Amino acid sequence: MRKIISALSFFVLLIPATLVAQDTVQVSLQSFIERGVENSGQIEFEKQKVSLAENKIDQAQSQRYLPQFNLSTQHGIVPGVVSQTNRPEDEYYLDPDLENDWENWAIFTRAEVNAVQPIFSWGALKNAVKAAKSSAIAAQKQFEGQKADIRLRLFELYQSYLLTNEILTLLDEAKNQIDKIEQKIKEQQEEGDTDVDESDLFKFQIFKSEFDIRAEEVREEAAMTQRIWNYVLNADDNTVYVPDTNFLDPVEEELKELNYYRSYALQNRAEINAIEAGIDAAEYGLQAQKQKNYPTLFIGLSGSFANTPNRPRQSNPFIINNSNYLSGSFGLGIRQNLDFLSIRADVEKGQIQQRQAKYLKEAAVDGIVLEINQAYKETSLSKVKVDKTDEAHVISKKWLRQEQLDYDFGMGETKDLIDAMKKELELRVKLKRETFDYNKNIANLYRKTGMSILDLKNKN
């Protein structure tokens, strides 16, 4: 009886804290990941950072064409003027007794236009645009890295669902085994079998209660997982999404040499590309900052116009009536910031940022190499565990088949059949768990390498 209780205890330990669901709409792994990414609020938030970086490109480019183009106007009511002499109106400026005419009011209008177009800035504007473009590339690469992290989490969620399906199947089988053993105990009691004592019966009843509690926990967790799935896929209340397969199989991927993943990561991982783009941005920014030491050549345009009907315009070009005139100018100019101490400090700041970006790349490379080594070790070990557990499971099935034949022909013992069944179920669960770990680890290796986990597929 103690062996029976021990065998039943095994089923309790087999039940993991995972999930399950019903089937309404089937979703493939790739579709689940893509839809999960599309519905992610975090992705939308991170995407705005890319938009901001691209907006800075437009801002930098706008500095190349008419960075200053201003128009201002003034309007009001002013009194006219009255002269006591016979001078013509365009010579009123010669009249010392000219007075305001408070009985004659008119509308005053003045408009001023100023525009500056840089011609030559020693490449400062060009480098500023390049720096903005490199910053946008860095933002885009960082965004791709964050998307890869979310894809990895969705991949694990999908694989967890498959593992749950397998565990729930085992749960049903374990329940059937418990019912059969319970029935056998009752038959032994009715037949007066002395091997069954009250102590064994109490242990079995306690075990059965614990099993029911654990089974209910699994079902609740399965329901929670189903809700997570629906949330990730933005499902309505009448839709239930489930995987397009009920089986958890190893992904179709042959593990390559470590150097392959390390070389691929250093060339293609989004984080490395983002840092390299950041280095370019720092270099272009530094060049733009240095070029502020030199003067900028520009074309300037200025125009001013004022009109008040009751105040005549004066004909002398050196005399301007501020309420009625027209003037304009156009020509070349030089603009130079003479605060060289501030410019030098900015250049030093740019040099520090450039060195910082280069050191960041070295640190990132070191971190990535360590990550890949760790991920590769875990994946390799997982692959060995899957293969060896599969071999052991095949042997256990042969053992179970032999014990069933012996039992059917009356030559076997019940405890041997239970032991064989226990080992077969134990290895079956272990195989699924090792498969889940292998799939998760190789997906993590793909992420650390910079490969797309959308290329991973389960064997069918």
Side-chain angles (χ1 to χ4, degrees):
M1 183 62 188
R2 287 187 177 85
K3 292 186 176 181
I4 296 175
I5 297 296
S6 176
L8 293 175
S9 300
F10 159 74
F11 294 117
V12 175
L13 299 176
L14 290 181
I15 304 170
T18 45
L19 21 125
V20 78
Q22 296 296 318
D23 194 353
T24 301
V25 178
Q26 293 186 340
V27 182
S28 66
L29 173 62
Q30 284 70 24
S31 177
F32 177 77
I33 292 175
E34 291 172 356
R35 294 182 62 176
V37 170
E38 290 176 1
N39 297 331
S40 171
Q42 181 181 353
I43 285 295
E44 292 300 324
F45 171 75
E46 299 295 340
K47 189 184 297 182
Q48 301 311 309
K49 295 181 180 178
V50 179
S51 299
L52 286 175
E54 292 174 347
N55 178 264
K56 289 183 179 179
I57 297 177
D58 297 335
Q59 290 180 337
Q61 289 177 333
S62 67
Q63 296 299 312
R64 302 172 67 177
Y65 307 103
L66 290 176
Q68 293 184 19
F69 191 15
N70 303 316
L71 169 65
S72 65
T73 65
Q74 299 94 43
H75 309 278
I77 300 177
V78 298
V81 293
V82 59
S83 174
Q84 303 302 325
T85 65
N86 294 324
R87 290 185 178 280
E89 291 184 345
D90 61 348
E91 293 181 0
Y92 273 7
Y93 66 93
L94 296 175
D95 184 358
D97 299 323
L98 191 66
E99 297 178 348
N100 290 322
D101 184 0
W102 299 106
E103 297 180 353
N104 180 17
W105 294 84
I107 296 175
F108 161 73
T109 300
R110 181 161 59 195
E112 296 176 339
V113 177
N114 294 290
V116 174
Q117 172 59 52
I119 299 177
F120 184 71
S121 62
W122 305 89
L125 295 176
K126 182 179 180 181
N127 283 315
V129 173
K130 288 182 177 179
K133 289 182 177 179
S134 296
S135 297
I137 293 174
Q140 179 64 38
K141 295 300 180 182
Q142 289 174 349
F143 175 64
E144 292 175 3
Q146 289 157 349
K147 285 178 68 176
D149 288 337
I150 291 179
R151 289 193 186 103
L152 178 61
R153 292 199 291 272
L154 292 170
F155 179 89
E156 293 178 0
L157 179 59
Y158 193 93
Q159 296 295 316
S160 296
Y161 205 131
L162 296 179
L163 176 62
T164 299
N165 282 343
E166 299 276 10
I167 296 299
L168 284 176
T169 301
L170 177 63
L171 181 66
D172 293 338
E173 294 181 359
K175 179 62 177 174
N176 293 333
Q177 293 295 330
I178 290 174
D179 293 341
K180 290 180 180 178
I181 291 171
E182 185 178 24
Q183 181 63 32
K184 186 175 182 61
I185 292 174
K186 290 180 179 178
E187 293 175 356
Q188 288 175 331
Q189 285 181 318
E190 292 173 357
E191 294 171 357
D193 191 339
T194 56
D195 291 339
V196 180
D197 56 27
E198 291 297 324
S199 177
D200 292 337
L201 183 59
F202 291 149
K203 291 179 181 178
F204 176 78
Q205 290 173 343
I206 292 172
F207 160 76
K208 187 179 177 183
S209 298
E210 292 176 345
F211 180 89
D212 292 339
I213 293 173
R214 189 59 179 150
E216 186 60 27
E217 289 177 353
V218 173
R219 294 188 186 94
E220 288 295 329
E221 289 166 357
M224 181 186 68
T225 300
Q226 183 64 70
R227 292 193 293 270
I228 294 174
W229 261 59
N230 290 346
Y231 180 78
V232 168
L233 298 176
N234 197 20
D236 55 42
D237 295 336
N238 300 321
T239 305
V240 177
Y241 288 97
V242 297
D244 62 352
T245 177
N246 293 323
F247 304 103
L248 176 62
D249 298 314
V251 296
E252 293 180 333
E253 176 65 21
E254 294 293 334
L255 199 60
K256 301 179 177 61
E257 297 293 330
L258 174 62
N259 288 336
Y260 170 80
Y261 297 103
R262 185 167 54 192
S263 300
Y264 193 96
L266 297 181
Q267 294 178 1
N268 300 283
R269 185 156 163 173
E271 287 81 356
I272 293 293
N273 295 332
I275 294 173
E276 290 176 344
I279 293 174
D280 292 340
E283 290 178 349
Y284 287 129
L286 177 60
Q287 292 301 320
Q289 201 64 42
K290 287 181 177 178
Q291 285 153 351
K292 289 184 178 179
N293 286 299
Y294 306 106
T296 300
L297 180 64
F298 66 89
I299 296 176
L301 170 66
S302 176
S304 181
F305 165 78
N307 179 61
T308 307
N310 57 357
R311 292 202 171 199
R313 181 176 301 173
Q314 304 303 291
S315 59
N316 189 326
F318 293 100
I319 303 298
I320 294 180
N321 177 2
N322 289 331
S323 61
N324 201 336
Y325 71 95
L326 174 64
S327 68
S329 62
F330 175 80
L332 299 174
I334 295 176
R335 184 166 52 192
Q336 172 66 58
N337 184 0
L338 299 179
D339 188 2
F340 293 107
L341 291 177
S342 176
I343 294 175
R344 188 173 64 182
D346 290 341
V347 170
E348 290 176 353
K349 178 182 176 182
Q351 291 172 337
I352 294 172
Q353 290 175 334
Q354 185 188 33
R355 291 196 297 270
Q356 187 182 35
K358 290 181 178 178
Y359 291 141
L360 177 62
K361 181 180 179 182
E362 294 178 5
V365 169
D366 293 342
I368 287 173
V369 170
L370 291 176
E371 287 178 352
I372 289 180
N373 273 280
Q374 181 67 22
Y376 188 83
K377 184 201 74 174
E378 293 174 353
T379 305
S380 301
L381 183 58
S382 295
K383 185 66 170 62
V384 172
K385 288 182 177 179
V386 169
D387 294 340
K388 294 302 178 183
T389 305
D390 187 47
E391 292 177 6
H393 181 230
V394 172
I395 296 173
S396 71
K397 288 196 295 185
K398 294 179 180 178
W399 179 26
L400 176 59
R401 190 178 305 111
Q402 183 62 46
E403 292 296 339
Q404 286 175 334
L405 290 174
D406 292 344
Y407 188 82
D408 292 341
F409 285 108
M411 297 183 294
E413 298 290 337
T414 302
K415 68 179 186 60
D416 294 333
L417 177 61
I418 292 177
D419 288 343
M421 187 179 303
K422 168 189 171 184
K423 179 56 67 175
E424 193 274 337
L425 290 173
E426 177 183 358
L427 290 173
R428 194 188 335 165
V429 171
K430 185 177 181 182
L431 177 60
K432 293 303 176 183
R433 289 193 167 211
E434 297 297 349
T435 299
F436 172 78
D437 288 340
Y438 171 68
N439 291 352
K440 184 179 67 175
N441 288 333
I442 198 168
N444 185 51
L445 178 61
Y446 262 51
R447 168 66 187 100
K448 301 301 182 187
T449 306
M451 297 178 175
S452 173
I453 62 173
L454 294 176
D455 297 333
L456 293 175
K457 297 179 181 178
N458 290 85
K459 290 181 179 178
N460 296 318

